[in-house]
Amino acid sequence: MESKATADDLTSLAASFPLLVYDHGEQPDNSQTLLSVADGSSHTHRVSELQNCRCLETPRGLVFIADTSSLQCSLWNPQTGEKIPLPALDKPLPEYCRCLLSDTISSPDCLVLINDLTQPELLFCHVRGGSEWINQSYDVGLYIIPGRPEPPTKRYISEMAAVQGKFYFAEAPDEVGVFSFVQDREPRLEMTSFPVPTPVYASGAPQDATLSYLLESCQELFLVCLFFPGCNFDRVEEVGAYRMDFSKQEWCKVIDIGDRAFLLGPHGFAASCKAMEYGLKKGCVYFAFDLLGNINNFHVFDLVEGTRELIRPGQDIPPLAREPFWMVPACP
């Protein structure tokens, strides 16, 4: 069912979250198609907060907004309309980046972090009381393509999740890195790591590909792996979910994640939300990222039953200005 909404805010759709947002950019009317994955309903809005600005969704439900002209920033709650002001940026955001919050927004030490997905650079500030953005570079080694003449390039982090004030990332195969912040006069970044065997899919094929996501759920760190046969990204062979056991420093496979659903999207976005409260199928992974084209379908993988379902939007989606992205229920 499709509806044309006259309001330009999303508070009227608060009960329909989580939403898949199809942003059409300047065509035809700067509008967005909002799909509720719970009931399949879709709505067309011209969301004012998505006009003339860069918006970065976060796994905690708040959306980071940077005005493209003034570079003034804020955190926006799409379900309530509330905005929390942040310091203005010194320069525009990188073309490809992600935003994470270190903790719940009520925490006095909560940080907002922008992770550049093209070079080893971080940008962060305090959510409350931060006077300016701090730029931080890091070193996780070089990326070398065997047998290729290109010179080595600096590796950058593409997978990251925030759990209880720390940021975890895949530093290298079989290793997990940790960013933590020491609170001096200004927050200062420290980086450590520990060895962890990476889960693999034992199909016997020598070139199986894996798409991995790190996420926080109920203050625990999880890894979701989508295994593809060979190097063919048009079919997912298996989906596995793993919980980090910090005492043993290992990923423990879990089949039943309880009354939760994991939501995966482009550029490493991964979030967790209650399932039954928001009309989702519990114990499922919702995957909305087309690796090969402009198909707007999404997949639902049931971890307990081992089943999968392909969901197609009930309407034609006009051309998009960016990949579909998630707006998830805001954490308290």
Side-chain angles (χ1 to χ4, degrees):
M1 178 182 65
E2 178 187 6
S3 68
K4 295 285 186 178
T6 56
D8 66 352
D9 64 77
L10 301 185
T11 56
S12 61
L13 300 179
S16 299
F17 278 57
L19 300 172
L20 263 178
V21 182
Y22 301 91
D23 189 359
H24 311 303
E26 297 181 359
Q27 296 179 350
D29 56 359
N30 291 319
S31 64
Q32 292 75 37
T33 298
L34 311 170
L35 174 68
S36 171
V37 296
D39 59 20
S41 62
S42 60
H43 311 264
T44 300
H45 274 248
R46 186 182 183 278
V47 183
S48 59
E49 284 80 6
L50 299 181
Q51 315 301 318
N52 303 315
C53 65
R54 283 289 302 278
C55 295
L56 303 176
E57 65 277 15
T58 76
R60 294 192 177 274
L62 301 182
V63 178
F64 175 84
I65 296 176
D67 187 278
T68 53
S69 298
S70 66
L71 299 183
Q72 187 61 55
C73 302
S74 62
L75 286 173
W76 166 53
N77 185 334
Q79 292 178 285
T80 65
E82 177 189 6
K83 289 183 180 179
I84 300 173
L86 297 173
L89 295 168
D90 294 329
K91 59 182 180 179
L93 290 172
E95 182 177 1
Y96 298 103
C97 55
R98 279 193 64 203
C99 182
L100 293 167
L101 300 178
S102 65
D103 211 326
T104 58
I105 200 67
S106 59
S107 170
D109 297 324
C110 184
L111 294 172
V112 55
L113 179 141
I114 307 295
N115 178 32
D116 192 332
L117 298 177
T118 61
Q119 57 183 337
E121 297 285 342
L122 302 173
L123 195 64
F124 59 92
C125 76
H126 270 120
V127 171
R128 301 184 188 277
S131 58
E132 63 180 3
W133 289 93
I134 299 173
N135 190 74
Q136 174 73 56
S137 60
Y138 60 86
D139 185 1
V140 290
L142 299 176
Y143 181 71
I144 302 174
I145 303 178
R148 298 283 292 273
E150 292 86 353
T153 58
K154 291 184 177 181
R155 294 180 63 247
Y156 56 86
I157 297 167
S158 58
E159 305 164 31
M160 187 181 294
V163 183
Q164 299 188 57
K166 297 181 179 181
F167 297 91
Y168 295 86
F169 58 92
E171 181 174 358
D174 299 323
E175 192 166 5
V176 170
V178 187
F179 284 134
S180 57
F181 291 85
V182 178
Q183 298 295 332
D184 294 331
R185 295 183 61 183
E186 293 289 348
R188 176 168 52 86
L189 179 126
E190 290 187 347
M191 185 174 70
T192 58
S193 63
F194 55 93
V196 181
T198 302
V200 296
Y201 174 58
S203 69
Q207 293 182 333
D208 285 338
T210 304
L211 185 61
S212 301
Y213 288 83
L214 289 170
L215 74 150
E216 180 272 342
S217 182
C218 296
Q219 298 189 354
E220 293 186 303
L221 178 64
F222 282 83
L223 173 72
V224 178
C225 295
L226 286 76
F227 300 104
F228 299 83
C231 293
N232 186 356
F233 285 96
D234 64 355
R235 180 170 63 89
V236 178
E237 185 70 21
E238 184 175 320
V239 177
Y242 307 84
R243 180 184 58 81
M244 171 56 67
D245 185 330
F246 286 100
S247 64
K248 299 179 180 180
Q249 294 189 349
E250 66 179 29
W251 292 112
C252 300
K253 188 169 184 178
V254 292
I255 302 299
D256 188 357
I257 59 174
D259 183 27
R260 288 179 279 184
F262 293 162
L263 311 174
L264 313 181
H267 307 302
F269 178 88
S272 171
C273 75
K274 296 179 180 178
M276 297 185 67
E277 180 177 346
Y278 295 103
L280 304 179
K281 298 179 180 179
K282 66 178 184 178
C284 288
V285 173
Y286 288 72
F287 177 62
F289 181 27
D290 178 31
L291 296 170
L292 299 176
N294 295 316
I295 300 173
N296 298 315
N297 305 332
F298 64 94
H299 301 260
V300 183
F301 301 99
D302 190 312
L303 295 173
V304 176
E305 301 295 332
T307 59
R308 61 192 66 192
E309 183 180 4
L310 178 65
I311 308 295
R312 296 179 172 86
Q315 67 171 111
D316 292 332
I317 304 295
L320 303 180
R322 58 175 291 191
E323 297 102 331
F325 62 95
W326 289 102
M327 282 188 180
V328 301
C331 297

